[in-house]
């Protein structure tokens, strides 16, 4: 578990995802990250940045939309979406849920 939605220091380590998620739920702004990666598997922030047009791993989360957009702009092909609904905020089609994103073929591919 890390503080500042994966950007801060590691505050708790566990081999159990359910345990780490439970502990993270007690601390506002914390996140559970897979050890040795930037992939977040749990966070409590309002916005998340996902790689590969929303199909890839969530690598950043923030309560401020502008901060999330700024981070997404540093990662080619990433999107910002509302964590709860999955609606893509930046860039791309609006009102697309996480489930719908899985069915979307990125432009320029077959």
């Amino acid at each position: 578990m890390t503080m500042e939605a994966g950007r801060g220091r590691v505050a708790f380590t566990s081999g159990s995802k359910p345990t780490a998620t439970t502990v993270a739920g007690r601390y506002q702004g914390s996140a559970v990250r897979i050890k040795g990666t930037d992939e977040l598997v749990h966070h409590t922030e309002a916005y998340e940045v996902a790689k590969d047009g929303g199909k890839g791993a969530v690598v950043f989360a923030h309560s401020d939309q502008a901060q999330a957009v700024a981070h997404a702009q540093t990662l080619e092909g990433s999107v910002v979406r509302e964590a709860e609904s999955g609606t893509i905020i930046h860039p791309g089609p609006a009102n697309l849920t996480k489930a719908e994103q899985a069915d979307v073929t990125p432009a320029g591919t077959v």
Side-chain angles (χ1 to χ4, degrees):
M1 181 196 83
T2 60
M3 303 308 293
E4 299 177 36
R7 301 174 309 277
R9 68 178 178 83
V10 174
F12 178 78
T13 302
S14 175
S16 167
K17 181 180 171 185
T19 299
T21 301
T22 299
V23 172
R26 297 179 188 151
Y27 299 93
Q28 181 66 28
S30 63
V32 176
R33 182 180 69 203
I34 296 175
K35 185 176 182 176
T37 73
D38 60 354
E39 182 178 349
L40 302 181
V41 293
H42 172 79
H43 66 83
T44 58
E45 301 295 338
Y47 302 98
E48 59 191 20
V49 176
K51 292 181 175 180
D52 300 325
K55 294 180 183 181
V58 173
V59 294
F60 184 81
H62 206 283
S63 59
D64 180 58
Q65 182 179 340
Q67 290 288 325
V69 169
H71 189 82
Q73 291 173 336
T74 68
L75 300 171
E76 186 176 335
S78 66
V79 299
V80 176
R81 63 185 176 207
E82 291 179 342
E84 190 171 319
S85 70
T87 302
I88 293 177
I89 304 298
H90 175 84
N95 303 321
L96 210 56
T97 65
K98 290 179 185 178
E100 291 168 332
Q101 290 170 33
D103 294 329
V104 173
T105 303
T109 62
V110 177

